[in-house]
Amino acid sequence: MFLIFGSILLALYFEPILSILAVQKNEIRTYESLDGLWTFVREPTNYGDLGITNEWYSNDLSKFDNATVMPVPSAYNDLGTSSELRDHIGWVWYEKKEIIPFRDQQFRHFLRFASVNYFAVVYVNSQKVTTHVGGHLPFEVDVSQYLKFGIENKFTVAVNNTLSWATIPQGDFNYQKASSRNISGRMLSRLPSGAFKDVGNFDFFNYAGILRSVQLVKLPSSYIENIIIVADHTGSFYYETAISDLNNGLVVESKIFDDNNLVVFKSNSTKGEGQLENAKLWWPRGMGKPNLYILEITLLSSDGQVVDVYRETFGFRTVSLTESQMLINQKPFYCLGFGMHEDFELSGRGFNQVVMTKDLNLLEWMGGNCYRTTHYPYAEERMAENDRRGIAVIVETPAVGLKGFPKANNNLHIKMLTDMIDRDKNHPSVIAWSLANEPVTKKKESRNYFRSLVETAHGIDRTRPVTTVYGPTNFDDDQTADLMDFICVNRYYGWYIDMGQMEWINQSVYWDLSLWKETFKKPLMVTEYGADSILGLNQEPSVDFSEQYQSELIHQTHLAFDALRKDHTITGEMIWNFADFMTGMTTTRAVGNHKGVFTRTRQAKMAAYTLRNRYLSLFNQTDLPLWDTKKQLY
Ligand SMILES: *[C@@H]1O[C@H](CO)[C@@H](O)[C@H](O)[C@H]1NC(C)=O
Ligand SMILES: *[C@@H]1O[C@H](CO)[C@@H](O)[C@H](O)[C@H]1NC(C)=O
Ligand SMILES: *[C@@H]1O[C@H](CO)[C@@H](O)[C@H](O)[C@H]1NC(C)=O
Ligand SMILES: *[C@@H]1O[C@H](CO)[C@@H](O)[C@H](O)[C@H]1NC(C)=O
Ligand SMILES: *[C@@H]1O[C@H](CO)[C@@H](O)[C@H](O)[C@H]1NC(C)=O
Ligand SMILES: *[C@@H]1O[C@H](CO)[C@@H](O)[C@H](O)[C@H]1NC(C)=O
């Protein structure tokens, strides 16, 4: 039997939490962009806390002899000409000066950063206003009391990209101690004293800096703080609004507009629920149109003056699971997807609207309908585009390759998961939360760690399933997979396993995935498979790193996917990777990872056409059979 989300129940599906709404410009709200060239000073690598100790925040950094400029948003790593800047670990300092107009004195001013990797200390006019841990997610601080109007204000940000348990939920930090030997009275050491590597336990470059936009957001003194809107395929919806200061007889007006700009719901309450007749549903590409609605919240004074307005886009859609399938609006959904990266030449992981637009256009050209935000939450602009284009996404925390499970890291992981869900909660395109990529969850101690994450996600959001992406563990030694609502697995037969054995791939993949399925009896998605290839490197018969090899490996893996689909074992597949991307230096990477079906400059390799043919042939799957009807609610 179907478990329908009832309208009364909907109210139970979201725990209100402190929020950070996306920035909006409208008849009340405005902001000043602080993007552009900032003064930039680097500290020596891994050298204590030089700038903070010497109170650099009270200096004018642009007067330093070694000051330069750095564009925001962008990673700084690839913009210099030295390996010291590229590989820098430790503190860098950013500074910008800005005159704040007199006319804006009536506003509350919030300084907002969309992403700083990984640890930031923020100063306004030499006074510390906040610190923030965790990259890839926004944070803001009310700086009204620190600002001066009509004259220059100085914004200083100290950024530390040191990878540690304190800055990112991670597995391994590769510190290396210089080991010394006393040889005939001489102390000899293999490494310089204090030497260390800090490349992270992940297969992508550790890009750092102010990676996304910075804004000075101007809000009225009473303002709309948070909006939660949950809407399902039956037309039921529930919403809740948090107002910063709901006194002085302020009134809230809530309206829902359809895509013709017609009001379909109206209320004077900060929260409520309703039922929309004939709601047009949000569908992923290939299943229907990604219909969107707008919830408009207006804050009015007692005499009817508009105090604040916020318009939140949302969609009516339900994600649910059977034992074998993921359903969207109760219809089987099969993911034709990608692992990706926010990565491009020069700007690194910095937000780049040009690259974002090209990537999503290429994803559509490929016949894709989904992707996973490997391996961190992606830019807010991109989340809005996913809604508009009908691209389903699994949003992932930045926890890659977890190996140890200390409490401090668990707490940081929980905080980042919470912030991530809070940021992306109203996006219909978000179909699931991924807690981690390829954790080494063979030890019992990993179980409590992951249980706390599942409980956190379920505690805030019961409308979306929770998953973890498994790599190093197997069906018979993983200690956490049964805690997940559905299971994602990365497998590289023909590459990391059995290189060169094309004819073994089908059976190996089939066998491996079938065992996961039989063990856990939950929906299964293959979230990574693939091979490296260098554009223009051609070999017939195929050899590893040739375009032919990548294309054939993908094709062979698809034979297994076809068999697994027929056996009701998998509910989706994602290639690794959409495009080539930069990594740290290792013997297995030649100027980065080349598993892209596109090059780093987004040109198609042979494999792109192989994948495109498959995705387009499977794209219109509106009549996929429903294999079983026993539904799971999380
Ligand atoms: C840049 O200048 C400051 C101030 O003189 C100095 O402390 C710091 O070490 C310099 N940075 C580098 C990378 O040498
Ligand atoms: C920042 O970087 C320095 C190395 O330059 C390190 O000693 C310090 O612990 C780091 N602080 C944080 C909070 O990561
Ligand atoms: C190294 O060994 C010599 C004896 O061979 C000893 O005199 C000296 O103190 C040692 N140095 C250190 C730093 O341990
Ligand atoms: C909401 O309040 C306004 C005045 O603030 C009033 O004119 C309107 O009728 C109310 N609407 C509802 C649905 O109660
Ligand atoms: C792939 O393997 C499965 C499982 O062994 C088998 O049923 C299927 O026929 C194979 N496909 C091809 C094309 O050989
Ligand atoms: C999918 O179906 C639509 C409508 O029937 C059609 O216009 C489109 O060409 C189909 N796309 C593919 C890739 O088959």
Side-chain angles (χ1 to χ4, degrees):
M1 262 311 292
F2 285 132
L3 279 166
I4 309 277
F5 293 105
S7 63
I8 297 157
L9 277 177
L10 277 184
L12 299 172
Y13 281 100
F14 246 105
E15 281 300 316
I17 44 178
L18 262 185
S19 101
I20 178 149
L21 289 171
V23 174
Q24 216 162 74
K25 222 174 215 177
N26 60 30
E27 58 269 46
I28 300 292
R29 293 179 165 231
T30 186
Y31 63 82
E32 233 159 294
S33 170
L34 296 186
D35 289 353
L37 295 177
W38 287 54
T39 294
F40 182 85
V41 174
R42 183 171 71 80
E43 289 190 22
T45 287
N46 192 30
Y47 193 79
D49 301 318
L50 188 69
I52 287 175
T53 309
N54 291 302
E55 304 184 0
W56 284 7
Y57 46 85
S58 55
N59 295 351
D60 182 349
L61 293 178
S62 65
K63 300 270 164 40
F64 280 37
D65 287 342
N66 56 7
T68 179
V69 293
M70 207 44 84
V72 169
S74 177
Y76 57 74
N77 308 76
D78 289 345
L79 300 185
T81 52
S82 69
S83 61
E84 282 82 5
L85 179 64
R86 184 190 63 205
D87 302 333
H88 176 73
I89 297 295
W91 295 101
V92 298
W93 289 71
Y94 285 79
E95 178 192 273
K96 195 164 208 304
K97 294 183 213 127
E98 198 84 10
I99 298 171
I100 317 294
F102 284 123
R103 63 163 186 273
D104 289 344
Q105 276 179 24
Q106 83 274 17
F107 286 117
R108 267 166 103 144
H109 285 70
F110 291 82
L111 186 57
R112 186 187 200 275
F113 297 84
S115 162
V116 180
N117 281 29
Y118 293 93
F119 180 64
V121 187
V122 183
Y123 306 86
V124 174
N125 294 325
S126 305
Q127 297 195 64
K128 185 167 160 182
V129 295
T130 195
T131 62
H132 184 256
V133 180
H136 317 288
L137 288 167
F139 62 97
E140 67 185 13
V141 53
D142 188 337
V143 294
S144 309
Q145 59 177 308
Y146 303 98
L147 290 183
K148 301 185 189 106
F149 292 89
I151 60 164
E152 216 165 56
N153 289 261
K154 188 179 63 151
F155 302 95
T156 314
V157 189
V159 181
N160 195 331
N161 70 335
T162 305
L163 294 165
S164 75
W165 294 118
T167 52
I168 186 167
Q170 273 282 328
D172 192 357
F173 300 103
N174 279 313
Y175 292 104
Q176 247 170 295
K177 280 233 177 72
S179 64
S180 1
R181 288 268 176 84
N182 187 346
I183 297 176
S184 323
R186 281 190 307 152
M187 290 302 289
L188 291 181
S189 167
R190 186 176 76 79
L191 299 171
S193 84
F196 73 110
K197 292 192 296 186
D198 192 38
V199 291
N201 184 38
F202 47 59
D203 185 28
F204 47 90
F205 195 85
N206 182 22
Y207 281 116
I210 303 181
L211 297 182
R212 295 179 193 149
S213 287
V214 184
Q215 286 138 338
L216 198 53
V217 179
K218 300 170 188 222
L219 300 180
S221 56
S222 287
Y223 64 99
I224 297 153
E225 252 177 338
N226 193 3
I227 296 171
I228 294 163
I229 170 93
V230 184
D232 73 13
H233 73 283
T234 67
S236 287
F237 63 89
Y238 166 78
Y239 73 94
E240 195 166 336
T241 313
I243 310 293
S244 71
D245 189 12
L246 193 59
N247 51 24
N248 309 325
L250 290 176
V251 180
V252 171
E253 226 178 62
S254 314
K255 287 182 189 156
I256 293 177
F257 292 87
D258 69 9
D259 55 350
N260 292 319
N261 223 16
L262 295 173
V263 178
V264 292
F265 171 82
K266 233 170 127 168
S267 155
N268 274 4
S269 166
T270 53
K271 61 179 176 183
E273 58 195 46
Q275 174 80 34
L276 198 63
E277 296 297 317
N278 306 318
K280 290 187 201 159
L281 308 186
W282 185 93
W283 290 101
R285 309 183 67 241
M287 291 176 81
K289 280 180 73 177
N291 295 295
L292 293 172
Y293 288 75
I294 287 170
L295 171 64
E296 180 189 88
I297 305 291
T298 310
L299 194 57
L300 298 152
S301 63
S302 50
D303 59 355
Q305 297 282 322
V306 176
V307 175
D308 192 15
V309 188
Y310 196 93
R311 297 184 180 88
E312 182 73 333
T313 302
F314 72 98
F316 288 86
R317 70 106 186 77
T318 304
V319 182
S320 46
L321 301 172
T322 71
E323 199 179 287
S324 339
Q325 286 167 300
M326 176 177 279
L327 311 183
I328 294 186
N329 302 331
Q330 298 192 306
K331 283 196 176 172
F333 170 69
Y334 188 80
C335 163
L336 300 167
F338 298 85
M340 307 186 85
H341 265 295
E342 289 185 315
D343 172 280
F344 200 64
E345 310 224 316
L346 303 186
S347 50
R349 190 126 19 265
F351 177 67
N352 184 328
Q353 57 187 353
V354 174
V355 177
M356 176 195 83
T357 304
K358 181 71 176 182
D359 281 2
L360 296 179
N361 287 343
L362 283 176
L363 186 147
E364 292 185 0
W365 177 77
M366 290 289 288
N369 63 8
C370 81
Y371 69 90
R372 173 166 63 113
T373 70
T374 46
H375 291 304
Y376 36 81
Y378 288 1
E380 290 157 277
E381 292 85 342
R382 201 169 160 130
M383 302 311 292
E385 272 299 282
N386 299 331
D387 290 347
R388 192 187 67 80
R389 292 169 183 256
I391 301 171
V393 287
I394 298 176
V395 176
E396 185 163 278
T397 71
V400 185
L402 279 168
K403 276 185 186 161
F405 303 94
K407 190 69 198 155
N409 210 232
N410 195 5
N411 290 340
L412 175 62
H413 202 158
I414 288 171
K415 175 195 168 335
M416 293 195 71
L417 176 66
T418 304
D419 290 353
M420 179 180 98
I421 295 175
D422 183 36
R423 191 195 74 165
D424 291 342
K425 61 189 180 295
N426 294 334
H427 290 289
S429 57
V430 177
I431 56 165
W433 308 114
S434 165
L435 303 178
N437 180 68
E438 299 192 353
V440 187
T441 34
K442 287 180 187 164
K443 290 194 191 133
K444 278 266 183 293
E445 64 188 23
S446 62
R447 196 170 167 78
N448 282 341
Y449 185 105
F450 273 84
R451 193 199 303 277
S452 72
L453 296 172
V454 172
E455 283 169 2
T456 299
H458 283 173
I460 305 165
D461 178 10
R462 265 145 288 181
T463 72
R464 291 180 184 90
V466 170
T467 189
T468 290
V469 176
Y470 295 101
T473 54
N474 286 304
F475 73 96
D476 57 353
D477 62 8
D478 193 89
Q479 300 295 320
T480 62
D482 63 299
L483 301 171
M484 305 303 145
D485 300 315
F486 71 105
I487 295 169
C488 295
V489 180
N490 298 343
R491 284 298 179 261
Y492 287 93
Y493 288 103
W495 191 255
Y496 296 120
I497 308 169
D498 302 334
M499 172 71 87
Q501 305 300 328
M502 285 291 174
E503 68 286 1
W504 297 1
I505 292 174
N506 177 29
Q507 203 173 316
S508 297
V509 174
Y510 183 88
W511 169 84
D512 193 321
L513 273 293
S514 298
L515 289 171
W516 279 89
K517 174 71 178 148
E518 274 171 33
T519 307
F520 295 105
K521 300 194 167 34
K522 298 196 175 195
L524 206 56
M525 219 182 257
V526 179
T527 34
E528 290 184 24
Y529 68 101
D532 285 66
S533 81
I534 309 289
L535 186 77
L537 183 60
N538 289 298
Q539 293 282 311
E540 184 59 50
S542 73
V543 173
D544 57 338
F545 291 99
S546 67
E547 290 201 53
Q548 283 83 352
Y549 191 92
Q550 184 189 31
S551 176
E552 279 169 35
L553 179 148
I554 287 174
H555 174 69
Q556 290 299 324
T557 311
H558 293 163
L559 298 179
F561 292 164
D562 287 338
L564 290 164
R565 268 159 61 85
K566 226 164 102 201
D567 292 355
H568 311 164
T569 301
I570 55 171
T571 189
E573 55 191 79
M574 297 189 186
I575 187 80
W576 188 261
N577 187 284
F578 178 78
D580 293 350
F581 57 90
M582 191 47 71
T583 65
M585 291 188 213
T586 97
T587 52
T588 56
R589 300 284 175 256
V591 194
N593 185 313
H594 292 272
K595 289 196 186 62
V597 298
F598 294 98
T599 62
R600 201 174 183 213
T601 49
R602 273 54 173 181
Q603 299 306 324
K605 301 181 194 172
M606 200 178 280
Y609 298 95
T610 308
L611 192 66
R612 181 171 188 258
N613 287 339
R614 174 177 180 77
Y615 281 7
L616 286 180
S617 74
L618 296 173
F619 181 67
N620 283 332
Q621 300 182 97
T622 41
D623 55 351
L624 269 184
L626 187 64
W627 291 325
D628 54 271
T629 53
K630 214 174 72 207
K631 291 270 186 66
Q632 181 181 322
L633 196 65
Y634 14 87

